């Protein structure tokens, strides 16, 4: 009962723009966060279909249910697990089941969807009928890829080797799985596989992380024993990935200003066997780059709060044209730019990865472009030449990811490198960065950046970019 009420409450708040799904779910204090998150996301995904069913059957009138509660119940009854809890609601929904099923069948016929197939929500572009595969990152702090593959084979899964092309990733069905073609520690399954109750997940041997979200740590690739900052770290999937790459050696400073998210993160890191980290409940913008504690930090991962517009479960189709509050976007871009400028002030910094799960140029290429203008000591590294989706012109050194081209969530990654050759002195003599603009200046820059994206100086700098390429 509580599950459905909570889910309906969250959908209502999302509609009223009171917060993002993830935050609202985390803040709900519901005991089974994953179950709640899945139900909210799925109901959102099928929202238009559910709405049509509710309207054509006049369910609200017949039952006195409120809109969002009706959607959640209809979702679980017709598309989800079947209503498992819910007492009197269950009885009521079962009373209307045949009417609801008939409405669903009519929509399917209208959409020409075969009875055996899942119903494609009309407002969701799903990779020309392909779901995003389920990605599983092997936590090499606790196990090896080979051991996980062996375990899964014994558990009835069938390993098909390494994918040879991207399309292989969405050709999986049942219990078949592949190794990813880009990331060695990543296994790929059909979208229908769920590992939340699997032993390997509960024991921290595998991390359920979308492929695109694995890119930042993989590309930053900090050395074993290095000093690294994860600036906006919670809930910590990228932190645990960084720790795995660093083999738990060195220092991993992780900041987040949200206490609750940080405490979730602490549990997740414990389960993942991460020990090289130091968690701080701190605003990254207030961390002193000149503090002796960070004097050896050469790598920073910056994955700041963003609009989340790339997360397909939160949006219908991920189209840039979809409605987005321009004031919110502007504020987010200004915040992201401040974080980026701040991060570049760490005196020994060599490499920084900036990422968002946003599809908006304003939070991605524009932030990076304006930052590079202000910080001429840094330039972009051309990432993964074989990656099919690039940053918007002219920032094609960066990566984008999407459901349609890379079969992942929508994502953006840029990697900045300090240009050592341009300065005569050693890194120790370099000043962190140019004078930082005020918040007001940044906001102005973000607003006007469309016109000045890729000014001549930046163009020149990009041509001179180091040849370093990740592969
Ligand atoms: C996109 S999430 C990070 C996800 C994380 N990197 C991961 O992979 O699990 C952004 C995080 O930034 C945190 N945040 C926002 N503003 C911050 C600030 N000024 N300083 C530190 N953390 C901040 C938010 O609380 C949120 O947890």
């Amino acid at each position: 009962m509580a599950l459905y009420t909570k889910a309906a409450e969250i959908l209502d708040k999302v509609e009223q723009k009171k917060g993002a799904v993830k935050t609202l779910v985390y803040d709900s204090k519901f005991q089974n966060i994953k179950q709640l998150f899945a139900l909210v996301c799925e109901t959102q995904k099928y929202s238009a279909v559910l709405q049509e069913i509710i309207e054509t059957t006049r369910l609200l009138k017949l039952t006195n249910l409120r809109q969002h509660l009706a959607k959640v119940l209809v979702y679980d009854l017709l598309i989800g697990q079947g209503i498992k809890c819910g007492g009197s609601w269950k009885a009521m929904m079962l009373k209307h089941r045949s009417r609801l099923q008939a409405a669903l069948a009519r929509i399917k016929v209208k959409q020409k969807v075969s009875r055996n197939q899942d119903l494609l929500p009309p407002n969701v572009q799903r990779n020309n009928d392909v779901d995003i595969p389920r990605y599983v990152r092997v936590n090499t702090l606790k196990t090896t890829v080979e051991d996980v593959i062996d375990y899964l084979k014994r558990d009835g899964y069938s390993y098909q080797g390494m994918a040879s092309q991207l399309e292989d990733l969405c050709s999986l069905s049942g219990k078949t799985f592949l190794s990813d073609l880009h990331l060695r520690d990543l296994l790929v399954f059909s979208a229908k596989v769920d590992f939340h109750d699997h032993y390997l997940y509960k024991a921290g041997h595998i991390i359920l992380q979308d492929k695109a979200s694995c890119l930042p740590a993989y590309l930053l690739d900090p050395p074993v024993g290095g000093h690294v900052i994860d600036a906006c770290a919670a809930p910590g999937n990228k932190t645990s990935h960084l720790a795995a790459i660093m083999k738990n050696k060195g220092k991993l400073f992780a900041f987040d200003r949200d206490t609750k998210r940080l405490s979730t993160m602490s549990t997740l890191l414990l389960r993942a066997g991460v020990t090289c980290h130091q968690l701080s409940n701190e605003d990254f913008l207030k961390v002193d780059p000149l503090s002796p504690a960070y004097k050896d930090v050469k790598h920073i991962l910056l994955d700041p709060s963003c609009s989340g517009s790339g997360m397909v479960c939160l949006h219908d189709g991920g189209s840039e044209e979809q409605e987005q509050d321009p004031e919110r976007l502007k504020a987010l871009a200004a915040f992201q730019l401040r974080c980026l400028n701040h991060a570049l002030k760490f005196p020994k910094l060599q490499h920084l990865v900036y990422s968002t799960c946003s599809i908006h140029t304003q939070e991605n290429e524009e932030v990076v472009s304006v930052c590079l203008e202000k910080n001429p000591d840094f330039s972009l590294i051309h990432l993964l030449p074989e990656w099919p989706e690039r940053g918007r012109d002219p920032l094609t050194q960066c990566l984008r990811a999407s459901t349609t081209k890379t079969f992942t969530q929508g994502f953006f990654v840029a990697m900045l490198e300090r240009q050592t050759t341009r300065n005569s002195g050693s890194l120790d003599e370099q000043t962190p960065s140019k004078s930082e603009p005020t918040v007001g200046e940044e906001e102005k820059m973000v607003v006007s950046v469309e016109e000045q994206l890729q000014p001549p100086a930046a163009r020149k700098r990009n041509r001179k970019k180091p040849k370093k390429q990740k592969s």
Side-chain angles (χ1 to χ4, degrees):
M1 198 111 164
L3 170 69
Y4 297 124
T5 337
K6 276 279 175 221
E9 206 179 288
I10 287 169
L11 287 168
D12 191 41
K13 285 186 180 160
V14 170
E15 195 174 278
Q16 292 178 46
K17 296 196 169 24
K18 287 191 177 158
V21 172
K22 253 193 184 169
T23 317
L24 293 167
V25 168
Y26 273 111
D27 290 352
S28 70
K29 300 201 178 79
F30 190 70
Q31 56 179 12
N32 192 337
I33 293 282
K34 284 199 180 82
Q35 189 188 26
L36 179 62
F37 185 61
L39 181 60
V40 172
C41 286
E42 285 296 294
T43 308
Q44 270 197 326
K45 189 158 94 179
Y46 291 91
S47 178
V49 171
L50 298 168
Q51 179 72 30
E52 194 172 334
I53 295 172
I54 290 168
E55 278 170 16
T56 55
T57 56
R58 291 181 294 122
L59 187 69
L60 301 187
K61 266 208 171 145
L62 293 172
T63 58
N64 279 335
L65 283 171
R66 301 183 78 119
Q67 176 77 3
H68 290 302
L69 184 55
K71 267 192 187 172
V72 171
L73 290 168
V74 173
Y75 166 78
D76 229 13
L77 180 72
L78 300 182
I79 306 172
Q81 311 280 318
I83 298 182
K84 290 215 176 76
C85 46
S88 55
W89 289 335
K90 181 173 177 172
M92 182 171 70
M93 292 305 286
L94 289 177
K95 206 171 110 193
H96 297 288
R97 184 163 57 185
S98 11
R99 175 196 293 268
L100 294 164
Q101 277 173 336
L104 174 64
R106 278 194 297 274
I107 297 174
K108 282 188 174 186
V109 170
K110 224 165 53 186
Q111 289 189 3
K112 295 194 180 70
V113 176
S114 109
R115 273 177 197 280
N116 309 330
Q117 275 181 304
D118 276 352
L119 183 74
L120 286 172
N123 58 345
V124 175
Q125 305 161 0
R126 287 200 290 169
N127 323 329
N128 304 322
D129 301 6
V130 180
D131 274 323
I132 300 179
R134 186 77 65 199
Y135 294 101
V136 166
R137 178 168 64 78
V138 174
N139 178 14
T140 54
L141 290 178
K142 287 216 157 171
T143 182
T144 62
V145 176
E146 292 69 29
D147 281 356
V148 168
I149 292 173
D150 281 348
Y151 189 102
L152 290 170
K153 283 205 261 187
R154 286 198 302 275
D155 202 17
Y157 288 85
S158 160
Y159 181 57
Q160 313 279 297
M162 184 182 280
S164 52
Q165 51 181 358
L166 261 181
E167 286 66 28
D168 294 346
L169 305 185
C170 39
S171 64
L172 294 160
S173 62
K175 288 184 113 180
T176 56
F177 70 110
L178 289 165
S179 287
D180 182 58
L181 66 166
H182 296 108
L183 285 85
R184 195 197 163 275
D185 300 338
L186 203 65
L187 300 174
V188 194
F189 298 79
S190 129
K192 296 208 164 44
V193 175
D194 186 355
F195 281 104
H196 283 100
D197 289 324
H198 199 278
Y199 161 75
L200 290 176
Y201 173 66
K202 288 184 175 163
H205 289 212
I206 57 171
I207 313 276
L208 305 182
Q209 191 173 358
D210 184 69
K211 177 174 174 177
S213 149
C214 295
L215 289 171
Y218 168 75
L219 292 167
L220 188 62
D221 194 22
V224 174
H227 284 205
V228 181
I229 284 180
D230 189 349
C232 296
N237 275 344
K238 297 183 189 73
T239 319
S240 80
H241 195 185
L242 286 169
I245 293 167
M246 295 159 71
K247 299 194 190 316
N248 249 343
K249 298 207 169 71
K251 280 194 180 155
L252 180 46
F253 303 98
F255 301 97
D256 204 287
R257 67 174 180 194
D258 187 316
T259 323
K260 271 193 217 147
R261 285 169 70 92
L262 212 62
S263 97
T264 310
M265 172 167 176
S266 182
T267 314
L268 295 180
L269 293 187
L270 190 69
R271 187 165 70 188
V274 177
T275 52
C276 64
H277 63 295
Q278 186 180 303
L279 281 193
S280 307
N281 187 194
E282 226 177 314
D283 180 345
F284 174 64
L285 292 168
K286 296 200 175 123
V287 175
D288 178 8
L290 301 179
S291 155
Y294 313 121
K295 67 178 175 39
D296 295 321
V297 169
K298 294 185 179 158
H299 295 78
I300 295 183
L301 192 153
L302 174 62
D303 183 42
S305 301
C306 69
S307 62
S309 50
M311 305 289 287
V312 287
C313 81
L314 309 184
H315 298 273
D316 295 341
S319 138
E320 190 140 6
E321 290 79 45
Q322 73 198 4
E323 253 182 73
Q324 188 69 238
D325 178 357
E327 285 308 309
R328 180 165 178 257
L329 263 191
K330 195 169 120 183
L332 281 168
F335 161 72
Q336 291 148 356
L337 182 57
R338 285 182 74 199
C339 288
L340 196 45
N341 281 328
H342 188 71
L344 298 191
K345 288 182 187 167
F346 285 76
K348 287 259 186 87
L349 179 71
Q350 288 177 354
H351 290 112
L352 176 143
V353 163
Y354 171 76
S355 61
T356 73
C357 56
S358 163
I359 56 166
H360 296 290
T361 314
Q362 206 173 343
E363 295 178 89
N364 298 329
E365 290 86 351
E366 292 188 16
V367 167
V368 170
S369 191
V370 173
C371 171
L372 286 173
E373 265 305 284
K374 277 278 153 189
N375 296 277
D377 286 349
F378 287 85
S379 63
L380 285 170
I381 289 189
H382 191 97
L383 298 169
L384 291 177
E386 71 275 24
W387 191 260
E389 193 169 5
R390 313 303 309 180
R392 298 265 153 83
D393 211 20
L395 297 200
T396 51
Q397 302 95 324
C398 309
L399 303 183
R400 273 186 174 249
S402 63
T403 54
T404 46
K405 295 204 177 107
T406 56
F407 312 122
T408 63
Q409 301 281 357
F411 215 77
F412 173 83
V413 192
M415 184 156 168
L416 279 63
E417 178 180 56
R418 193 190 289 278
Q419 291 184 310
T420 48
T421 47
R422 297 232 266 148
N423 296 304
S424 47
S426 71
L427 271 178
D428 300 48
E429 292 158 7
Q430 290 174 18
T431 47
S433 74
K434 298 285 173 257
S435 58
E436 202 196 355
T438 63
V439 181
E441 277 174 338
E442 280 162 358
E443 280 180 6
K444 248 190 273 159
M445 285 190 298
V446 173
V447 177
S448 65
V449 78
E450 257 162 45
E451 302 107 65
Q452 46 126 8
L453 189 62
Q454 192 62 0
R459 239 179 271 136
K460 199 166 143 210
R461 193 176 48 246
N462 290 338
R463 274 205 301 274
K464 282 172 64 185
K465 71 183 180 289
K467 284 284 175 284
K468 183 176 173 189
Q469 292 183 338
K470 293 262 171 181
S471 59

